Amino acid sequence: MLAAPFLIEGHEITISASIGISIFPDNGTDTTELLQQADSAMYAAKRNGKNRVMYFTPELGSSVRERLNLENQLRGALLRREIEVYYQPEFDVSTRRLVRFEALARWQHPTLGSVPPNKFIPIAEECGLIVPLGAFILERACQEAVTWQSISGYPIQVAVNVSTIQFRRESFVEEVEQALRHTGLDPKLLQIELTESVMLDGMERASNTMKRLRAMGISIAVDDFGTGYSCFSYLPRLPFNVLKIDRSFVRELGKRSEMKAMIQALVSLAHDLNMQVVVEGIETSQQLEMVETLGGNQVQGFLLGRPTPNPKSLLASASTMIPPTDDHSVLVPLNKTNS
Ligand code: C2E
Ligand code: MG
Ligand code: MG
């Protein structure tokens, strides 16, 4: 019944339900405990792709405890300055220049060590911490980017990943304006990376927010394109100007011949829609060469540079705007110019 779409003011709305079940007395003997376990099962159902029913299990209990523990620690992490921002370079294929750094969050936990963003960002999203966390990363990244321009002598953008939860807030555009105002970063030097889930709130709403950002001069990229349930029809309807092809395509590039055709098709689609293409996850010179022939505009990957807490060292060491090369023979040295 729930799966059937509702028609509200001319819009077709589809909803799904994630259900968690706990059973008396196996999973608990009072209502508080039973509700907690059912809640854990419900969150597990969401994490496993939503729209499903899951029963509580003891294993779920321990993973929930671990998650709760991380959540509690994450609450203090910002205050304790355990969240850091690393920066990974991206290069233009035709000019061979460094064009931007992507800001990537890192959590240096005093005992757990480095907690990867794939682990703590989803927790921050679930408990709402993504809002202060995202605002901190945005401001920090803009602050850092301001300092690059004078070192490099030409404009270098910073790309900041923004969670859909942050993006859908009424005040999001004002928060971006505020970060730019505080730091003095030129809006043209900011790229915001969104994922395809932004359209789940409705195309019109996402499009309006994006238009306001674009009007300020900010670039907007659709990140990890090709993962999940990519729906091509929304692309022309949302004002993205950059498409980032997910690294899963590149990983398979040498192994599955159809991947070449897929990347080529995505590049051609993006170019027809006036979007630039960034290809993620370049790890070998062969992959780089193939992406060049397939027409990708910009590249990012471990071959070209890993995320670093100190991007200035890359800029300072460069009269050539490429990473320390040696084994990256495909990239030729560049001269720094101001064009
Ligand atoms: P993303 O935005 O797609 O970022 C690229 C990820 O790919 C980064 O992982 C980067 O280290 C990794 N990567 C880059 N080149 C290569 C390569 O050649 N090979 C391999 N195997 N990996 C490569 P990271 O830093 O672990 O971030 C993972 C994801 O976490 C990001 O994916 C992004 O979705 C999310 N994330 C990171 N920082 C933030 C943040 O500040 N805010 C939000 N909302 N999400 C973030
Ligand atoms: Mg990204
Ligand atoms: Mg990505």
Side-chain angles (χ1 to χ4, degrees), residues 136-155:
F136 166 80
I137 292 162
L138 177 67
E139 182 126 357
R140 177 55 64 86
C142 291
Q143 210 169 41
E144 173 66 35
V146 169
T147 65
W148 299 336
Q149 320 307 322
S150 55
I151 302 174
S152 70
Y154 70 86

Side-chain angles (χ1 to χ4, degrees), residues 302-321:
F302 291 170
L303 174 73
L304 308 159
R306 288 186 180 252
T308 164
N310 184 13
K312 286 193 201 72
S313 63
L314 260 183
L315 293 172
S317 69
S319 60
T320 59
M321 283 292 111

Side-chain angles (χ1 to χ4, degrees), residues 166-174 176 192 194 202-216 218 220 238-239:
Q166 251 177 300
F167 176 81
R168 66 161 70 116
R169 281 159 56 83
E170 290 287 340
S171 55
F172 178 66
V173 177
E174 284 75 33
V176 175
I192 281 179
L194 303 170
M203 205 66 91
E204 208 174 306
R205 181 155 170 208
S207 170
N208 286 341
T209 308
M210 288 167 71
K211 279 183 191 145
R212 287 173 65 199
L213 295 165
R214 288 291 308 277
M216 288 159 64
I218 295 168
I220 308 182
L238 291 174

Side-chain angles (χ1 to χ4, degrees), residues 4-287:
F6 295 87
L7 202 63
I8 298 175
E9 291 179 4
H11 298 280
E12 206 173 83
I13 315 258
T14 310
I15 58 169
S16 66
S18 300
I19 298 174
I21 298 178
S22 60
I23 294 177
F24 173 87
D26 297 359
N27 308 139
T29 46
D30 59 47
T31 43
T32 314
E33 201 180 358
L34 281 167
L35 278 173
Q36 254 167 16
Q37 318 293 46
D39 209 36
S40 307
M42 187 262 292
Y43 277 111
K46 283 182 189 287
R47 275 197 299 280
N48 282 288
K50 303 186 177 157
N51 201 21
R52 65 192 62 221
V53 180
M54 279 188 75
Y55 284 89
F56 179 80
T57 60
E59 299 78 59
L60 212 56
S62 59
S63 81
V64 166
R65 269 192 300 280
E66 191 209 339
R67 201 201 145 283
L68 265 179
N69 186 23
L70 272 184
E71 179 181 324
N72 284 335
Q73 308 210 30
L74 190 55
R75 288 190 188 280
L78 259 181
L79 285 176
R80 292 191 300 269
R81 299 175 183 268
E82 290 166 10
I83 304 291
E84 294 177 7
V85 186
Y86 278 43
Y87 299 88
Q88 186 179 22
E90 295 182 10
F91 294 85
D92 189 276
V93 170
S94 58
T95 65
R96 330 290 285 174
R97 274 190 176 169
L98 192 156
V99 284
R100 86 176 60 78
F101 282 105
E102 176 172 11
L104 294 161
R106 296 285 180 270
W107 178 12
Q108 299 299 344
H109 188 281
T111 53
L112 298 174
S114 183
V115 185
N118 285 338
K119 197 150 188 184
F120 72 85
I121 296 282
I123 296 178
E125 287 181 328
E126 268 177 36
C127 68
L129 269 177
I130 193 68
V131 172
L133 186 66
F136 166 80
I137 292 162
L138 177 67
E139 182 126 357
R140 177 55 64 86
C142 291
Q143 210 169 41
E144 173 66 35
V146 169
T147 65
W148 299 336
Q149 320 307 322
S150 55
I151 302 174
S152 70
Y154 70 86
I156 292 179
Q157 277 190 326
V158 65
V160 179
N161 293 284
V162 167
S163 153
T164 297
I165 303 206
Q166 251 177 300
F167 176 81
R168 66 161 70 116
R169 281 159 56 83
E170 290 287 340
S171 55
F172 178 66
V173 177
E174 284 75 33
E175 285 162 19
V176 175
E177 273 169 342
Q178 195 180 328
L180 292 170
R181 209 172 38 246
H182 282 170
T183 58
L185 184 71
D186 178 350
K188 290 195 193 65
L189 298 179
L190 175 62
Q191 174 166 298
I192 281 179
E193 296 195 1
L194 303 170
T195 55
E196 298 167 61
S197 59
V198 290
M199 61 170 177
L200 295 179
D201 274 346
M203 205 66 91
E204 208 174 306
R205 181 155 170 208
S207 170
N208 286 341
T209 308
M210 288 167 71
K211 279 183 191 145
R212 287 173 65 199
L213 295 165
R214 288 291 308 277
M216 288 159 64
I218 295 168
S219 298
I220 308 182
V222 51
D223 202 359
D224 305 334
F225 192 79
T227 56
Y229 304 95
S230 298
C231 168
F232 292 92
S233 65
Y234 77 80
L235 267 190
R237 296 168 60 199
L238 291 174
F240 287 111
N241 57 330
V242 176
L243 182 139
K244 288 190 91 169
I245 298 183
D246 189 67
R247 72 169 184 269
S248 51
F249 287 85
V250 176
R251 205 170 38 224
E252 301 285 306
L253 197 51
K255 301 177 202 151
R256 288 169 57 194
S257 57
E258 66 270 26
M259 278 304 160
K260 213 168 144 185
M262 294 279 283
I263 295 186
Q264 202 154 32
L266 288 178
V267 168
S268 144
L269 170 76
H271 287 172
D272 284 347
L273 296 172
N274 282 325
M275 295 166 79
Q276 294 269 302
V277 176
V278 181
V279 183
E280 301 179 331
I282 307 284
E283 293 182 353
T284 67
S285 351
Q286 288 81 353
Q287 289 169 340

